[in-house]
Structures are given as C-alpha cells and as structure tokens.
Amino acid sequence: MLVAWYRLLTARVTHAGQLSEFFEIKRGTRQGAILSPALANVFFRPLMQILDDSGCGAELFSSHVPVVCYADDLMLISTNARELGHLLRLVETFAKFWRLDFVNVDPAKTKSHCLVFGAELLSELPLWHLSGQQLAAHSVTEHLGAVITSDLSGSQHAQHRIRRARGSFYGLTPVGMLNNQLSPLDKAFLWKTVVRPALLFGGDVVPLRSNDVETLECLQSRCIKAALGLPKYAHHSALLEALGIPLVQEELRRMVLYALAGVFRSDHRLSQALTRGLALLATAPQELTGSFLGLAHSLSGARLHCVLDVVNGRIDPELIRGPVLPNGVVDSLRFLMSRNSDMARRLMRLICL
C-alpha cells in the first residue's frame, strides 16, 4: 500500500539543490513502526478530501463528518443508506486506482462490514457492496481498540478491556508480579505502567455506565490484592491509596478532561461539533445519553465545582491541581471561556456540577 505512494517520492535532493537519479523503494516500513501511521495518513489524505467534497455522510452538530480514519483503519459515517453506498463507491474507485484491497477473496475473512444504529426499527436492512462483495451487517465492531455496539452500550468494551488487562497482568508473572520477589511499590509501578493502560484504553470515548466502571474497579482491586497475596474479602480503598493507585473513576475523569482539553485547543471541525454538542447538553441533556458528552458529564464529580473559580482567577490552580485537575485543563477551560464568555460559563457550570 505504501510502496505505491513511495514511488511518487523517488527523487532525492542533493546539497546543491539538484535531483539525483530516480530509484524505487520496494519495501515499506516495519510492522508496528512509529512512522507507519503518519505515512498512511498522508497516503489516504486525497481519499479523505474526495469523501469530504462529496457532500455525503453524517452531520454532527452542523459539521460535515463523512469519515474517521487513522492509518489503515477507515470508518465511513452516514445517516442515509444511499449516501453510504455512494461513499463506498468512492472508496472502491480510489482502491482500484492505487491497487488496494479493502475486501478479502474469501468473504468470511473480509474485515470490512457495516454497523447499523437502530436496526431493530427497520423491517429490512439495506445492502451495501464494496468491490463487488456484499458487506455483512454486524451489531458490534472495534475501531482503534474501542468496541462500538449498535445500541451504544459500553459493557462489551469493558469486558474486552478486562480480558486485555488480565492478559497483561498474568503476563507479568515471570517478573514476580504474583510472588514476593518484588516489593509492593514495584508491583504498583508495573500495574500503572503496563496493566492499567490496557484496562482503561478507550475509556475517554466509549460511553461507559456506572456498572461498567464498577466492573473495571472490581478487576483492579482483585488483581492488586492477588499480587500482594491478600484475600478477596480484604478492603482495598486504603491499600490503593497507600500504593498511589487512583480509583478507576478518578482515572477516567482525568482521561476525559484531557480529551476535552485537547479538543478545545483544536480548530478542527470536530472541535466545533463538540462545542455545539455541549450547548445541546446544556439545553437538552437527555438527547446525548450514552454519548461521549454524556460520559463527560457523568464523570464530572462534585469536587470539580471549583473549576469556575479557578478559571475566573479566584483560586490558585495549584491548590486543587493533582487528583482533581491535571495540567493543561485550566488553560483549556480559559480558552473556551474566551470564545463566548456567557455560554462558556454555562457549559462549564453544567460539566462541573
């Protein structure tokens, strides 16, 4: 895939500004290389522009968002079955030009599929095709490690992350995670750097419910007690605090705030969509149940009521920064308020209370 793109860049510039002889690069980057996603994004940029110029696709709070793409993980978004078919034909044309394959010769091995929200309301599902092959309709899909279901439930994502976390946890057995060769602080360090990222990955974008968070919390407490040789019925709150391991709820709150901080600092159309979504959350929160914004609202505890005072400069951020507010969030909130002071205060009050 990347080899064809490399051939467009087969000229080297010498120190004198001259071009050397053309040469072909016949091997791409290694599997898992850090440079691979960036090169793939450059390669697919013309396709993103074609899909954007088509006018088809979803409208998120008055922002046109027909596709979400990172590396070779491509997700088309549409609220209209006919427009989705048009987007698929554009992808098929691009694939033929660059000799790419988005489907497998064996339909059972094809990873491309469709996810229909509200499929239970339809008497018959539409049929979509890609490269002459009918795409299967699934109720569950995985995009960049986040499990998405047709009913916007986070329970399957939580179970998926639990399986990944267990694998990471027991994979540390050879280094002493389950015996007395390591000190408790060393085990806590391994948990925070190896296991917890696997457990909470995607928790800032998937709409987790309170019972999903409790399930993740239970796994963390059980694993920590198992690593320290403690019985299952032992209390874990003071233990986690002594080891410097925050609760899952606290860590998810930090992740969501960081995600919001990054979005508000961006001029991307999704940033504009999220800002409009916050306005909708302020007026009709029931319409965003199960969404990322609903997750942000549910994870914002009462202790964050002081955010408004921090933004207005009445409280020193250092007094509450740490377990409550991570670095950068206060600046992002100030940035949001500078756009529209009246609306921003209302939105921040909604998020923080």
Side-chain angles (χ1 to χ4, degrees):
M1 178 177 64
L2 295 179
V3 172
W5 178 73
Y6 283 139
R7 289 172 180 170
L8 299 178
L9 305 176
T10 51
R12 292 184 302 177
V13 179
T14 63
H15 293 290
Q18 301 291 330
L19 295 179
S20 70
E21 295 293 332
F22 286 94
F23 63 95
E24 290 189 356
I25 299 178
K26 300 182 179 181
R27 298 184 64 181
T29 56
R30 293 181 178 271
Q31 180 70 25
I34 298 177
L35 188 60
S36 299
L39 293 177
N41 290 340
V42 174
F43 177 80
F44 281 115
R45 183 176 179 83
L47 176 60
M48 301 300 102
Q49 191 64 50
I50 293 173
L51 297 174
D52 197 13
D53 294 340
S54 69
C56 300
E59 291 285 336
L60 300 179
F61 308 116
S62 302
S63 294
H64 182 221
V65 185
V67 61
V68 176
C69 177
Y70 181 76
D72 61 344
D73 208 332
L74 185 72
M75 177 182 288
L76 301 177
I77 307 175
S78 179
T79 55
N80 183 285
R82 182 176 300 176
E83 290 187 358
L84 179 58
H86 181 64
L87 293 176
L88 287 171
R89 288 190 291 272
L90 293 177
V91 171
E92 182 178 347
T93 302
F94 182 86
K96 287 181 179 179
F97 181 81
W98 290 104
R99 291 179 292 178
L100 302 178
D101 292 323
F102 285 102
V103 296
N104 196 290
V105 178
D106 184 1
K109 297 181 180 179
T110 296
K111 294 183 179 180
S112 300
H113 57 270
C114 297
L115 182 70
V116 182
F117 298 97
E120 66 279 0
L121 302 177
L122 303 177
S123 59
E124 183 179 354
L125 284 179
L127 299 180
W128 293 281
H129 295 80
L130 180 62
S131 300
Q133 189 176 117
Q134 180 178 329
L135 299 180
H138 294 178
S139 60
V140 181
T141 188
E142 182 179 352
H143 181 66
L144 299 177
V147 178
I148 306 172
T149 61
S150 58
D151 59 351
L152 291 179
S153 171
S155 58
Q156 295 199 39
H157 176 79
Q159 295 300 324
H160 177 67
R161 299 324 308 175
I162 285 176
R163 291 191 295 268
R164 291 295 184 91
R166 281 176 177 167
S168 300
F169 177 74
Y170 290 106
L172 294 174
T173 303
V175 298
M177 191 65 166
L178 296 176
N179 55 45
N180 297 326
Q181 296 180 1
L182 287 179
S183 67
L185 291 179
D186 291 333
K187 294 180 179 181
F189 175 79
L190 289 176
W191 174 267
K192 291 187 288 186
T193 56
V194 179
V195 185
R196 189 173 64 185
L199 178 65
L200 301 183
F201 182 83
D204 51 350
V205 294
V206 175
L208 299 176
R209 303 296 196 275
S210 58
N211 57 335
D212 301 324
V213 177
E214 290 178 3
T215 302
L216 300 176
E217 201 81 67
C218 289
L219 177 72
Q220 174 172 265
S221 61
R222 287 199 303 266
C223 289
I224 295 299
K225 286 184 284 190
L228 299 179
L230 299 176
K232 295 182 179 179
Y233 54 80
H235 295 287
H236 63 273
S237 299
L239 176 64
L240 293 177
E241 184 178 355
L243 294 175
I245 300 176
L247 298 175
V248 170
Q249 181 84 352
E250 294 291 335
E251 188 64 16
L252 287 175
R253 180 182 294 115
R254 184 190 68 83
M255 292 169 60
V256 169
L257 288 175
Y258 266 124
L260 288 173
V263 168
F264 289 143
R265 285 179 171 175
S266 172
D267 292 329
H268 195 272
R269 70 182 68 177
L270 290 179
S271 174
Q272 301 172 5
L274 182 56
T275 303
R276 296 188 182 97
L278 286 174
L280 179 61
L281 183 62
T283 56
Q286 68 278 2
E287 296 187 20
L288 293 174
T289 301
S291 66
F292 170 79
L293 294 171
L295 172 68
H297 181 248
S298 63
L299 289 177
S300 299
R303 290 192 300 164
L304 296 180
H305 68 276
C306 53
V307 171
L308 289 177
D309 291 329
V310 173
V311 175
N312 292 326
R314 292 195 292 265
I315 295 180
D316 185 358
E318 299 299 332
L319 295 179
I320 63 171
R321 184 170 292 171
V324 180
L325 288 179
N327 293 332
V329 172
V330 174
D331 295 336
S332 298
L333 294 175
R334 286 174 176 163
F335 173 74
L336 177 64
M337 292 189 67
S338 66
R339 289 186 169 183
N340 189 326
S341 182
D342 294 335
M343 184 188 74
R345 285 191 175 89
R346 183 182 182 188
L347 297 179
M348 290 303 101
R349 185 177 296 106
L350 175 70
I351 292 176
C352 301
L353 297 181

